[in-house]
Amino acid sequence: MNRYPADSRVIVEPLARQPDTDGVLVGRKDTAVFLLLPTDAVEVLDDLAAGCTVAEAQQRHFARHGEVADVEDLLATLEEHGFVRPEGTARREAEKGFHFAWISERWAQRLTSIPVLAAGALVVGAAILALILEPSTLPGWRAAYFPENTAAGLLALMVFGLFTTFIHEMAHLTAARARGVSCRFGIGNQLWFLVWETDMTGIWALPRRQRYLPILAGPLIDLVTAAALIVVSYANVRGWLALDPAVVQFGRALLLIYVLRIVWQCYFFLRTDFYYALTNLLGCRNLMGDTVVLLRNITARLRRKPLTDQSHVPEGERRMLRAYAVIWLAGRGIAFSMLLFIQLPLLFHYLQLLVASVREGTWRAAPSGVSLITAIFFTIFLLGGLGLWLKRLWWPGKDTGV
């Protein structure tokens, strides 16, 4: 049954729109659903919103382009996404609510204001100066190694790791709220890590320049917090503070987590925050996917195998792909460096701790037993993560874009 007869009128919901290289991105902010439509389809939508019947909208399209538009099929697609509805029918509301809606746009704007960002920049500047004067302030892998009080150290590090990840995602959400965009908050995964996730689909309704702060707010809060830890560590080294050695070690371990999290953003073979900022800057629709195809074509050309056709990619984007291919490979290099110089040494020393505990029989004592169980759990976590990572590297999966 045709829900949109030629003489019927259509209710068009309030839609945000942003021009795009391939058309116009339109969508509903309240449902965070967006579609990339051709310019002529948006013209039909505007005609219908102005009160034209379906037949009148078709006639106007024909007058402009000399072609008969398939308005019925267009309207079916738009209705499926909640953009339009037949006159006299009920409006489709958002199926899922947004989270942390109590954070007002006004307060979000205050938290992401220029003075706040400037204060963060001052902290980062002080940390850079501290690292120049005292490079040893930056921790190595040993910062996360707890040969004594293993259970307390690792459990505290895991709890603080989850909490700081939550703050990272809340920074994304707050920056989006400051731009009038509501978000959804949940739990997901990146590679082998269970993480908090913020669905900020609504930011695509913003002009391109206004998307950067919501995209980069998480790494920025990580950077400022890491900088604050560096400044405190430097003050302790200089004798300006007198911190307990256990506090110093845990602080350096927490700093290592922040450093690794910031370095993680440079894994450009994954869809990290930095990757999304780059795609927004370059305006490419499928930057990672097209780059991977390009690299495969280079390999295929060397092996004299058939190439995958990329003629559909505009020449301007193809030049960007060649540049991003270098960044993509550099991201792999950074990831392997972290594996060789952080993850593997840490794994090796915890394995040594496990073997020594079992060999000497100290694991039978209550505190040592708890530490041993914790160390085993942490070691399995590291081994499992390493295994999943290598699997994704050698048996590519969708999430990595490989």
Side-chain angles (χ1 to χ4, degrees):
M1 179 180 175
N2 183 8
R3 289 174 58 80
Y4 298 97
D7 59 347
S8 67
R9 285 184 168 79
V10 178
I11 302 298
V12 179
E13 304 293 350
L15 300 173
R17 61 180 67 189
Q18 289 298 328
D20 193 271
T21 53
D22 298 324
V24 180
L25 191 68
V26 299
R28 284 178 58 175
K29 283 188 176 182
D30 60 333
T31 59
V33 176
F34 294 85
L35 285 178
L36 184 63
L37 298 178
T39 305
D40 61 330
V42 177
E43 292 172 349
V44 171
L45 203 56
D46 288 339
D47 291 335
L48 293 170
C52 292
T53 64
V54 173
E56 289 169 345
Q58 281 182 313
Q59 291 168 2
R60 290 193 177 191
H61 183 276
F62 184 82
R64 283 190 293 258
H65 303 284
E67 296 178 351
V68 178
D70 188 355
V71 177
E72 182 180 340
D73 186 57
L74 172 65
L75 290 176
T77 301
L78 295 177
E79 183 182 3
E80 181 182 348
H81 291 84
F83 292 0
V84 301
R85 54 191 168 91
E87 194 173 38
T89 59
R91 186 174 189 262
R92 181 195 297 182
E93 301 298 335
E95 294 180 1
K96 295 181 180 179
F98 294 109
H99 299 135
F100 297 96
W102 52 266
I103 299 178
S104 70
E105 187 173 334
R106 179 184 175 187
W107 275 104
Q109 288 172 349
R110 289 181 177 179
L111 292 173
T112 57
S113 63
I114 296 298
V116 172
L117 295 175
L122 287 176
V123 176
V124 173
I128 293 172
L129 180 60
L131 288 175
I132 293 173
L133 297 175
E134 192 66 53
S136 63
T137 306
L138 196 65
W141 64 266
R142 290 184 182 276
Y145 179 58
F146 299 94
E148 299 179 3
N149 299 320
T150 307
L154 290 181
L155 287 176
L157 201 58
M158 291 176 187
V159 170
F160 269 83
L162 287 173
F163 175 72
T164 56
T165 304
F166 174 80
I167 297 299
H168 172 105
E169 295 301 322
M170 283 299 295
H172 285 301
L173 185 144
T174 303
R177 289 289 299 127
R179 298 292 186 269
V181 176
S182 297
C183 304
R184 298 188 181 100
F185 203 80
I187 297 177
N189 72 291
Q190 285 185 331
L191 290 182
W192 57 89
F193 293 105
L194 192 66
V195 296
W196 303 101
E197 282 186 341
T198 304
D199 181 354
M200 299 191 300
T201 310
I203 68 168
W204 301 113
L206 300 174
R208 185 178 294 181
R209 286 183 299 177
Q210 294 185 22
R211 300 171 192 164
Y212 288 108
L213 186 57
I215 292 173
L216 295 175
L220 285 176
I221 195 69
D222 289 342
L223 180 62
V224 172
T225 309
L229 289 171
I230 289 172
V231 171
V232 171
S233 179
Y234 176 79
N236 183 73
V237 170
R238 290 292 182 177
W240 302 339
L241 295 175
L243 299 177
D244 185 271
V247 174
V248 172
Q249 183 187 10
F250 183 75
R252 287 177 64 80
L254 191 58
L255 176 56
L256 178 63
I257 286 181
Y258 274 112
V259 170
L260 292 178
R261 190 177 296 161
I262 294 168
V263 172
W264 170 281
Q265 299 296 337
C266 298
Y267 290 8
F268 288 104
F269 59 95
L270 298 174
R271 287 175 172 82
T272 63
D273 296 334
F274 287 177
Y275 166 78
Y276 285 116
L278 265 176
T279 57
N280 188 63
L281 175 66
L282 300 177
C284 297
R285 302 300 306 172
N286 188 24
L287 180 62
M288 184 174 295
D290 290 337
T291 299
V292 171
V293 173
L294 173 67
L295 290 170
R296 286 176 177 168
N297 280 344
I298 292 173
T299 304
R301 190 176 290 111
L302 294 174
R303 296 178 179 179
R304 297 184 178 180
K305 291 186 176 181
L307 306 182
T308 301
D309 181 33
Q310 286 192 294
S311 59
H312 62 283
V313 180
E315 178 58 33
E317 285 195 24
R318 283 204 290 269
R319 287 194 295 269
M320 294 178 189
L321 296 182
R322 288 190 283 271
Y324 188 75
V326 177
I327 300 174
W328 189 94
L329 292 171
R332 282 287 177 103
I334 294 171
F336 275 113
S337 296
M338 292 299 101
L339 172 66
L340 292 175
F341 298 112
I342 301 292
Q343 189 171 0
L344 287 182
L346 199 57
L347 173 62
F348 176 74
H349 279 75
Y350 272 113
L351 283 174
Q352 278 190 322
L353 183 64
L354 289 177
V355 171
S357 298
V358 173
R359 183 178 296 170
E360 296 169 8
T362 57
W363 60 273
R364 291 185 178 87
S368 298
V370 174
S371 296
L372 178 64
I373 293 172
T374 307
I376 290 174
F377 174 79
F378 191 68
T379 302
I380 292 173
F381 178 81
L382 288 174
L383 284 172
L386 177 61
L388 287 172
W389 187 28
L390 291 175
K391 178 183 177 182
R392 288 182 180 274
L393 290 179
W394 298 111
W395 291 276
K398 182 178 179 181
D399 289 341
T400 62
V402 180

